[in-house]
Amino acid sequence: MFFKKNRPSVEENILSKIDKNKLPAHIAIIMDGNGRWAKKKNMPRTMGHRAGVETIREIVKACSKLGIKYLTLYAFSTENWKRPSDEVSVLMNLLVEYLRGEVNELHKNNVVVRAIGDIGGLPQICQDELKRAYEKTKNNSGLKLNLALNYGGRDEIKKAVKAIVSDVSEGKVAIGDIDEKLISSYLYTSDMPDPDLIIRPSGEYRISNFLLWQIAYAELWFSDVYWPDFKPDNLYQAIVDFQNRDRRFGGIK
Ligand code: FPP
């Protein structure tokens, strides 16, 4: 006999295709399309960002349950300051609201909350909440959630170059010691693996100054879905596709 309720959902179906032994260690997501999602629904852009926070909650939970080690979310770029000041304020408030409302749940789920970017350039209240979230979760052993805030790939590389030059001039580093590993160690991501998989929803095919150094061999995955509509099954599909890619890192098989 056929019992409909026993059939696996679309989500379970895709999930069952994921090889848990071949998970990407580090997934990075360019959360795009909040504004267009809101426009499509005749809502103010800021409602799109609010809906985008719901997606963050679901995707973080899905990554954590799956056993992903690092998830980096591009939440605010060094270029996003060009947006109208009320939109910037809403984004900063949403960050504070998210951290305050979610930190206990994240802690319960063994997640570490971290930030990458020029954090000193954020409003003090954001810095304080980020610090509080990190202090509470820093000893957890599960998913490392990196919020990229006031982050720009070129800005990060510029800062690394300045720091290396300064260390060379103080005799702490010899020019001959400068190799790719040393450069990586001067980046915000110094203690994490490079992303294996970059996801960009919303139908745009750009990197937008995200993790420029680190994505040298990342697999890119694009979707037309706007970020507020991005669901765990979209994430699972990205991982399944990733697992079917042939990664050669410039070599041959
Ligand atoms: C891109 O959509 C999205 C952003 C610039 C901000 C992403 C921020 C959030 C999802 C919420 C706040 C963050 C946290 C960590 C709580 P867009 O506005 O560029 O969309 P559009 O291209 O359709 O205009």
Side-chain angles (χ1 to χ4, degrees):
M1 212 159 120
F2 178 67
F3 294 100
K4 196 166 176 236
K5 65 176 182 183
N6 287 338
R7 288 172 71 195
S9 65
V10 177
E11 191 174 315
E12 285 164 342
N13 248 331
I14 308 175
L15 193 55
S16 70
K17 290 187 193 148
I18 294 179
D19 179 347
K20 295 276 177 63
N21 298 312
K22 277 172 56 186
L23 290 174
H26 187 170
I27 299 179
I29 307 183
I30 301 173
M31 305 183 288
D32 196 14
N34 296 346
R36 278 163 287 162
W37 179 90
K39 192 170 179 212
K40 205 176 73 183
K41 294 184 172 325
N42 288 317
M43 289 175 176
R45 290 178 54 80
T46 50
M47 290 305 287
H49 296 313
R50 192 163 279 283
V53 178
E54 273 314 305
T55 303
I56 294 179
R57 286 199 179 94
E58 286 184 69
I59 296 302
V60 169
K61 210 162 161 193
C63 283
S64 169
K65 264 172 76 179
L66 205 53
I68 300 296
K69 298 229 161 37
Y70 296 85
L71 172 66
T72 301
L73 299 178
Y74 203 6
F76 194 85
S77 76
T78 44
E79 288 72 36
N80 285 150
W81 298 107
K82 292 180 203 154
R83 296 189 176 206
S85 63
D86 54 345
E87 181 169 337
V88 171
S89 297
V90 166
L91 285 168
M92 297 300 155
N93 288 338
L94 280 176
L95 172 66
V96 170
E97 211 179 283
Y98 170 74
L99 292 169
R100 286 184 181 163
E102 204 65 11
V103 75
N104 288 338
E105 180 72 11
L106 291 165
H107 186 47
K108 214 170 76 192
N109 289 325
N110 202 20
V111 174
V112 181
V113 183
R114 307 172 39 165
I116 60 168
D118 188 357
I119 303 306
L122 294 175
Q124 191 58 46
I125 188 167
C126 297
Q127 296 185 43
D128 294 346
E129 288 303 325
L130 285 165
K131 190 152 185 277
R132 219 165 64 93
Y134 175 67
E135 287 303 324
K136 188 174 176 91
T137 60
K138 66 181 178 191
N139 295 321
N140 289 337
S141 57
L143 174 74
K144 309 267 186 304
L145 168 63
N146 303 307
L147 301 173
L149 293 156
N150 198 15
Y151 175 86
R154 287 184 171 181
D155 184 60
E156 178 183 34
I157 293 168
K158 177 194 78 186
K159 286 186 167 61
V161 169
K162 281 186 173 174
I164 294 169
V165 170
S166 162
D167 284 352
V168 167
S169 68
E170 287 175 27
K172 293 183 193 154
V173 170
I175 290 188
D177 292 339
I178 302 176
D179 57 10
E180 292 180 13
K181 204 165 152 221
L182 181 122
I183 294 171
S184 294
S185 76
Y186 278 75
L187 301 177
Y188 298 124
T189 50
S190 58
D191 59 347
M192 12 179 147
D194 286 342
D196 301 293
L197 172 62
I198 301 284
I199 295 175
R200 181 167 195 154
S202 96
E204 305 285 6
Y205 301 88
R206 287 189 288 276
I207 290 302
S208 300
N209 204 11
F210 191 37
L211 301 171
L212 295 181
W213 173 273
Q214 297 89 335
I215 61 168
Y217 279 100
E219 294 296 325
L220 310 182
W221 192 87
F222 299 97
S223 153
D224 286 341
V225 170
Y226 293 143
W227 178 247
D229 287 331
F230 196 89
K231 298 286 165 221
D233 53 323
N234 300 109
L235 171 81
Y236 301 149
Q237 189 60 57
I239 295 174
V240 170
D241 291 348
F242 165 84
Q243 292 183 332
N244 287 319
R245 302 254 180 109
D246 182 18
R247 300 185 82 194
R248 294 187 298 280
F249 299 95
I252 47 174
K253 276 240 169 105

